[in-house]
Amino acid sequence: MGLSPERIAIEIVGWTGAALILIAYLLLSAGRLTGQSRVYQWLNVAGAAAFVLNSGWNGAIPSATLNVIWMGIGLFTLWRIRQGMA
């Protein structure tokens, strides 16, 4: 019994999300990006969105909820950057 195509796609989405968030953190920690960088925030938003899909599919509601909030923080920060408030 193998994995369905849907299951494989959801796993790819989840691992991609993990990679995006880890890359964002690595670049921040290495001083290549700042917390107010659009790139940093978009990496986090995209990574969190992927985790929401993966977590929701797997029924991990606490993880999905955390990542909806994580995404919201990133989008709010991007809005502040755009408004010149960050």
Side-chain angles (χ1 to χ4, degrees):
M1 181 163 96
L3 296 175
S4 70
E6 294 86 7
R7 176 91 229 149
I8 292 169
I10 291 296
E11 290 303 313
I12 290 170
V13 167
W15 283 106
T16 300
L20 291 172
I21 290 175
L22 285 172
I23 289 167
Y25 185 63
L26 174 67
L27 292 172
L28 178 71
S29 296
R32 301 291 212 117
L33 295 175
T34 69
Q36 299 306 310
S37 161
R38 284 183 175 96
V39 171
Y40 175 75
Q41 294 300 328
W42 277 116
L43 285 169
N44 275 291
V45 167
F51 273 153
V52 168
L53 181 61
N54 182 275
S55 299
W57 180 273
N58 288 303
I61 303 307
S63 179
T65 302
L66 170 69
N67 282 288
V68 166
I69 294 166
W70 190 273
M71 233 175 32
I73 292 168
L75 291 170
F76 177 73
T77 303
L78 285 164
W79 176 80
R80 286 181 48 108
I81 291 168
R82 184 176 179 149
Q83 300 300 315
M85 298 188 316

